[in-house]
Amino acid sequence: MTQGTGHGEDGNRDRSSEEAALSERLGSLDQRLSEFRDRRTRTEQPAGDDGDRAARASAMALGFRLSSELIAGVAVGAGMGWGFDHLLSTSPFGFIVFLLLGFAAGVVNVVRTAGAGQNKRGGS
C-alpha cells in the first residue's frame, strides 16, 4: 500500500503540474481573446455605419414607394376624370369626382402598404 501512497504523491505532483500548464494556457487564451475582441470592435464601428446606411436606404425606398403610390392614385383618378369629361361633356365634375376617388385610392394603398410593412417587422 505504501507504493500506492507513493504513487499517489507522484500523481498529485503530475496533477499540480498539469493544473499549472492548464492555468498558463487559459491565461494565454484569455489574452488572445481580449486582443481579438479589441480588433473586432475597432473593425465593427465602420460596419455599423454601413448598417445605418442600409437602414436609411431601406426607409428611403419605402418612402419613395409610398409617395409614388399616392401620386399614381391621384394621377390615374385625374386622367380617368378628364377622359370621362371629354367623352360625356361633363366638364369639371367628372374630373373633380375621379380626382377625389383617385386620392382616396392612393391613401388606401399607402395605408395598406405601410400597414403590411409594420406587420412584417412586428412579427419577426
Side-chain angles (χ1 to χ4, degrees):
M1 286 221 194
T2 56
Q3 286 181 336
T5 307
H7 192 352
E9 289 174 6
D10 288 340
N12 286 338
R13 287 181 198 154
D14 289 341
R15 284 186 188 163
S16 64
S17 65
E18 287 176 10
E19 287 176 5
L22 179 62
S23 177
E24 184 179 329
R25 288 190 307 212
L26 284 175
S28 171
L29 179 62
D30 186 40
Q31 181 183 5
R32 287 186 294 175
L33 281 174
S34 64
E35 289 172 2
F36 177 74
R37 285 183 191 133
D38 289 342
R39 276 186 265 141
R40 195 174 88 190
T41 55
R42 284 186 219 134
T43 58
E44 279 184 0
Q45 289 172 350
D49 292 340
D50 290 341
D52 291 343
R53 287 182 192 157
R56 238 181 279 136
S58 177
M60 191 176 275
L62 180 63
F64 280 127
R65 179 179 175 193
L66 295 177
S67 63
S68 66
E69 285 187 11
L70 180 64
I71 291 169
V74 172
V76 168
M80 287 177 65
W82 181 79
F84 274 108
D85 279 341
H86 262 346
L87 289 175
L88 303 175
S89 298
T90 58
S91 190
F93 299 111
F95 180 76
I96 292 170
V97 168
F98 277 95
L99 182 72
L100 292 174
L101 287 174
F103 176 75
V107 168
V108 167
N109 282 338
V110 166
V111 169
R112 187 180 305 150
T113 302
Q118 291 296 329
N119 288 340
K120 284 181 186 175
R121 290 184 194 130
S124 295

